[in-house]
Amino acid sequence: MPKSPAPRVHGDVNGESTVRRGRPTGDHAAKRAELLKAATTVIARDGYANASLRKVAQQAGCTTGAVTYYFANKEDLVAALAESRFDRYDAMLEAARAEPGVKKLFERWLELTTGDPEFWPVMSQLFAHARYEPGFAALIERRYARFREVYTSILARGQEQGTVRADIPADLLADQLSAMGDGWMMMFPFEPERFTPARVKALLDAAITLITPAPTTRRAT
Amino acid sequence: MPKSPAPRVHGDVNGESTVRRGRPTGDHAAKRAELLKAATTVIARDGYANASLRKVAQQAGCTTGAVTYYFANKEDLVAALAESRFDRYDAMLEAARAEPGVKKLFERWLELTTGDPEFWPVMSQLFAHARYEPGFAALIERRYARFREVYTSILARGQEQGTVRADIPADLLADQLSAMGDGWMMMFPFEPERFTPARVKALLDAAITLITPAPTTRRAT
Amino acid sequence: MPKSPAPRVHGDVNGESTVRRGRPTGDHAAKRAELLKAATTVIARDGYANASLRKVAQQAGCTTGAVTYYFANKEDLVAALAESRFDRYDAMLEAARAEPGVKKLFERWLELTTGDPEFWPVMSQLFAHARYEPGFAALIERRYARFREVYTSILARGQEQGTVRADIPADLLADQLSAMGDGWMMMFPFEPERFTPARVKALLDAAITLITPAPTTRRAT
Amino acid sequence: MPKSPAPRVHGDVNGESTVRRGRPTGDHAAKRAELLKAATTVIARDGYANASLRKVAQQAGCTTGAVTYYFANKEDLVAALAESRFDRYDAMLEAARAEPGVKKLFERWLELTTGDPEFWPVMSQLFAHARYEPGFAALIERRYARFREVYTSILARGQEQGTVRADIPADLLADQLSAMGDGWMMMFPFEPERFTPARVKALLDAAITLITPAPTTRRAT
DNA sequence: GATGAATGAGAGTTCATTCAT
DNA sequence: AATGAATGAACTCTCATTCAT
């Protein structure tokens, strides 16, 4: 009792959605990326708790079966999503490391986090749920540790060069600044109107002021 | 469709004894509080996305029906939970306002957030999901605004008295410090072992150092 | 957004199916038994591999949710089904033990297995799949051991009384006879037409002939 | 919709060399046999209800498409599997017929069924599900009838020669003995530890004792 | 006041099957 | 000859919610 899904239609000229089966030229990695994009959109829009594979499929314009074909299960999808997000984070860190200075780092961070309006929302959702999926939690812990490490090294260099206050250990400073960023990330989705570009700039400038050494020596002269 | 039996009144604002006719009063509020406690435990343990009314009922040792009897629906329960949590936050703020000084505020905050091991986990879960339940989001926005306001006023007073650096507007400082706290709150459930009492103290001390005025002027004299 | 399932109708006079919610006078055990009966019918009709909770619900005239309300999961349902079937088996054994004689046992067995046309089909399906559900396999092993034990004791008594041949140990005889019954049980659903009452009687009579002592001694006299 | 490429012919009845043009023949049959072996393993391991074409493909180390390429559908695969299993049974019967005597038959049967540890498990699974796939049920009925027929003829010959008791018609005896074998086959996968070689031998010896004529010679005394 | 039977939608997942390549 | 992307239906199970009792 074969249940062929309605009369097969393809190569239509109207641009209507066609039913395609069989083996397309599909690029596995590309399709996965496409589905991850769809998942990002869904999670940013509906939140993690209300996101479902069905919605992801719908967003991507394919069937649920296709999603589970490319990802073993939901956890796999979410993990891949987290990886891809952190890959962007890592790329940013790499770039920031090349051109030192905390200010540059802030700029890169701002660029990354504001360039994509879904970045903050989806990241905060992933963080919130990571705790309850062990493998996922490990991933974040690992990636986050790396992030703090780079942060610390940049600040330490700044301290050597006298551009960053030295009365607080670099690792504590890194912890404070990254927590600050996380805090904003968490609150941003609530009241995006509060985070105007102007205010974000003011906040970052203030952060730089916070960690800049006091002009004591110069004044003593 | 709030099911709270209208005729019952208790816990009135004036502190006067309220009308106690018929059934023993306080039962209703007490039972709600009990259920909220159970909900807190469940959310802290399983995460918001994996929390269900069933689990809450089970945790509280009662039936599913009882939960929906005391709360119109899930959103109602979660909103009440958020209210109760913020009530504790407000109480803390009230106390902090009475005995000024940023250091005192930090101590109060620390007391609140570390006194209950479920506090941070449940709060971060509630924040993460608030965005997607409109009424809930409004609640948090309102409460959070109030929180920043108190924070700002305390910092402003510090600036007047010279105990807080004045080169950054008080509202920006408040934003930065509260974001810092939020960031820690978000990360704490992941790696609680990283937040030893010693490190938390170091972080708070460093935060105080950050906002303390540079000792230049004194030296210049 | 409450999704009350269509306008509530009940107490209709037409005999049409009504939608009933809330708490009926329902007897928990009775409803479970009802669902087990439905499961029996479905498995006997479609086979274990094609049986689903949906079909069971449909057969019982209720929703899938109701089934999972009464049984934690599919395995639980199947285990309960097996228990109930074996309870009947045990009752039969008890009765057979009271009135000894292999012939009586055969009669009881026949009564049980032919009284319900679904008995053999469902039993053979349960046996076939038991191997792959550990808890279920243990149940069957336990029950089946008990069955062989009773069988053996009845045969041993027969041997003492000289009604059963003594040249084969009773436990081997029991194993052979019960295997014979199992074999028929397995084949019966295939070709029920082959197992006419007359032939079944002939087979059982032949089985009795098989285990009756050879009439040598009598003739020697 | 059988997909076997029509022009290819091999394994013809006459034993003459068949047409071998174009691609190397035998590949097709060999691959099918390979897949059947994989299917046997999967069914024996996971049971029929939990067997899937996916698992068969995986077990065979090929793709899902390959399976559906060599077999029109699942039923086709299962039918082919049953055929191949019964082919071995038939070969055994043929051999047993050549060298008469019930004992020889038992030995052959034992050889067949214990030689391959997957034989009993997969056979009992196939039997259990045959009822619910009509074509398959017909196949088994046909093959099984043949089996009983051979069994009967061997027993009848034994009766003529006085090596098998004549007080029970041969067809009933065949029915009983084959049912006995089926019963063991059904139970074996459950408690293989119970069927030690020693016990199996004892059971078969006892079966021979059962059908051996009573030692009437003593009667003459 | 409180219960718990029952609902129906939707979740994640598996599956046999199709077919362009 | 063989692949593997994709389908869509069906599966088990969980859930918030309703309501007669």
Side-chain angles (χ1 to χ4, degrees), chain B residues 6-221:
Chain B
R8 189 88 60 79
V9 182
H10 46 86
D12 63 335
V13 197
N14 311 349
E16 296 172 19
S17 76
T18 54
V19 183
R20 287 184 194 228
R21 268 187 304 201
R23 308 246 175 66
T25 183
D27 277 9
H28 201 257
K31 186 82 189 208
R32 275 176 70 103
E34 196 185 316
L35 288 173
L36 290 181
K37 177 75 191 98
T40 300
T41 302
V42 169
I43 291 179
R45 182 186 4 106
D46 299 342
Y48 184 96
N50 299 117
S52 69
L53 296 191
R54 254 178 178 59
K55 286 181 182 172
V56 172
Q58 197 178 347
Q59 175 71 27
C62 65
T63 64
T64 320
V67 178
T68 54
Y69 175 75
Y70 283 100
F71 298 94
N73 49 36
K74 194 182 186 181
E75 195 179 348
D76 187 24
L77 169 71
V78 172
L81 179 56
E83 292 274 7
S84 82
R85 288 279 135 180
F86 269 109
D87 282 344
R88 291 176 60 180
Y89 226 105
D90 276 10
M92 184 268 284
L93 283 180
E94 231 43 61
R97 187 174 245 160
E99 34 170 31
V102 188
K103 190 155 191 178
K104 286 284 184 189
L105 175 58
F106 281 7
E107 280 166 11
R108 289 280 176 193
W109 180 81
L110 194 59
E111 201 180 303
L112 172 67
T113 54
T114 58
D116 179 359
E118 287 172 342
F119 192 88
W120 267 349
V122 86
M123 273 306 237
S124 62
Q125 288 295 302
L126 289 178
F127 268 87
H129 287 279
R131 168 87 244 263
Y132 306 100
E133 301 195 17
F136 191 10
L139 164 74
I140 285 194
E141 207 170 329
R142 176 162 40 86
R143 295 277 201 159
Y144 200 78
R146 172 116 199 287
F147 173 54
R148 271 202 322 275
E149 198 180 301
V150 172
Y151 221 139
T152 303
S153 76
I154 289 177
L155 286 168
R157 207 169 353 157
Q159 288 179 327
E160 284 168 21
Q161 299 170 350
T163 57
V164 171
R165 63 193 300 168
D167 54 349
I168 298 175
D171 69 303
L172 285 184
L173 272 182
D175 214 333
Q176 289 176 313
L177 292 175
S178 59
M180 217 181 272
D182 293 342
W184 290 330
M185 175 179 84
M186 195 178 84
M187 292 309 296
F188 167 76
F190 276 96
E191 18 182 19
E193 73 285 351
R194 198 161 70 82
F195 290 89
T196 59
R199 183 162 183 89
V200 170
K201 191 182 178 318
L203 286 168
L204 288 182
D205 285 348
I208 291 191
T209 305
L210 273 185
I211 62 168
T212 300
T216 34
T217 32
R218 247 184 294 136
R219 217 177 277 178
T221 331

Side-chain angles (χ1 to χ4, degrees), chain D residues 91-174:
Chain D
M92 182 269 283
L93 284 181
E94 231 42 62
R97 185 174 246 160
E99 35 171 30
V102 187
K103 189 155 192 179
K104 286 284 183 189
L105 175 58
F106 281 6
E107 280 166 10
R108 289 280 175 195
W109 180 80
L110 193 60
E111 200 180 304
L112 172 69
T113 52
T114 57
D116 179 359
E118 287 171 342
F119 193 88
W120 267 348
V122 85
M123 273 306 239
S124 62
Q125 288 294 301
L126 289 178
F127 267 87
H129 285 281
R131 169 87 250 258
Y132 305 100
E133 301 195 18
F136 190 12
L139 163 73
I140 284 194
E141 206 171 330
R142 175 162 40 85
R143 295 277 201 160
Y144 200 77
R146 172 114 200 288
F147 172 55
R148 271 202 321 275
E149 196 181 303
V150 172
Y151 220 139
T152 303
S153 76
I154 289 176
L155 287 168
R157 204 163 2 152
Q159 289 181 327
E160 285 165 22
Q161 299 170 348
T163 58
V164 171
R165 65 193 298 168
D167 53 351
I168 297 175
D171 69 304
L172 286 184
L173 271 183

Side-chain angles (χ1 to χ4, degrees), chain C residues 83-99:
Chain C
E83 291 275 5
S84 81
R85 288 278 135 180
F86 269 109
D87 282 343
R88 291 176 59 181
Y89 226 106
D90 275 9
M92 183 268 283
L93 283 181
E94 230 43 59
R97 188 173 243 162
E99 34 170 33

Side-chain angles (χ1 to χ4, degrees), chain A residues 5 21-23 63 65 69-70:
Chain A
R21 232 127 42 138
R23 187 190 208 180
T63 63
Y69 176 75
Y70 283 97

Side-chain angles (χ1 to χ4, degrees), chain A:
Chain A
M1 216 178 290
K3 305 175 182 174
S4 57
R8 189 59 38 83
V9 184
H10 48 86
D12 61 337
V13 227
N14 313 349
E16 293 173 19
S17 74
T18 58
V19 177
R20 299 186 86 268
R21 232 127 42 138
R23 187 190 208 180
T25 358
D27 182 355
H28 198 86
K31 184 76 192 207
R32 273 177 71 103
E34 193 187 318
L35 288 172
L36 288 181
K37 177 76 191 97
T40 301
T41 302
V42 169
I43 291 179
R45 183 190 357 111
D46 298 343
Y48 184 96
N50 298 118
S52 70
L53 296 191
R54 271 172 170 68
K55 284 182 184 173
V56 171
Q58 196 177 350
Q59 175 71 26
C62 63
T63 63
T64 317
V67 178
T68 56
Y69 176 75
Y70 283 97
F71 297 95
N73 48 39
K74 193 184 185 181
E75 193 179 350
D76 187 24
L77 170 70
V78 172
L81 180 56
E83 292 274 6
S84 80
R85 288 279 135 181
F86 268 109
D87 282 343
R88 291 177 58 181
Y89 225 105
D90 275 9
M92 183 270 281
L93 283 181
E94 232 41 62
R97 187 174 244 161
E99 32 169 34
V102 187
K103 189 155 191 178
K104 286 284 184 189
L105 176 59
F106 281 8
E107 279 167 12
R108 289 278 176 195
W109 182 80
L110 194 59
E111 200 178 304
L112 173 67
T113 53
T114 57
D116 179 358
E118 287 170 341
F119 193 88
W120 268 348
V122 87
M123 273 306 237
S124 62
Q125 288 295 301
L126 289 179
F127 267 86
H129 286 280
R131 169 89 248 261
Y132 305 100
E133 302 195 16
F136 191 10
L139 164 74
I140 285 195
E141 206 170 330
R142 177 163 39 87
R143 296 276 202 158
Y144 200 78
R146 171 113 201 289
F147 173 54
R148 272 202 321 274
E149 198 181 302
V150 171
Y151 221 139
T152 303
S153 75
I154 289 177
L155 287 168
R157 208 167 356 154
Q159 289 179 326
E160 285 167 22
Q161 298 171 350
T163 57
V164 171
R165 64 193 298 169
D167 54 349
I168 297 175
D171 69 303
L172 287 184
L173 273 182
D175 214 333
Q176 290 176 313
L177 291 175
S178 59
M180 217 181 271
D182 293 342
W184 289 330
M185 176 178 82
M186 195 178 86
M187 293 309 296
F188 167 76
F190 276 96
E191 17 182 20
E193 72 286 349
R194 197 161 70 83
F195 290 87
T196 60
R199 182 163 183 89
V200 170
K201 192 183 177 318
L203 285 168
L204 288 183
D205 285 346
I208 291 191
T209 305
L210 274 185
I211 63 167
T212 300
T216 35
T217 34
R218 249 185 292 136
R219 218 175 277 181
T221 331

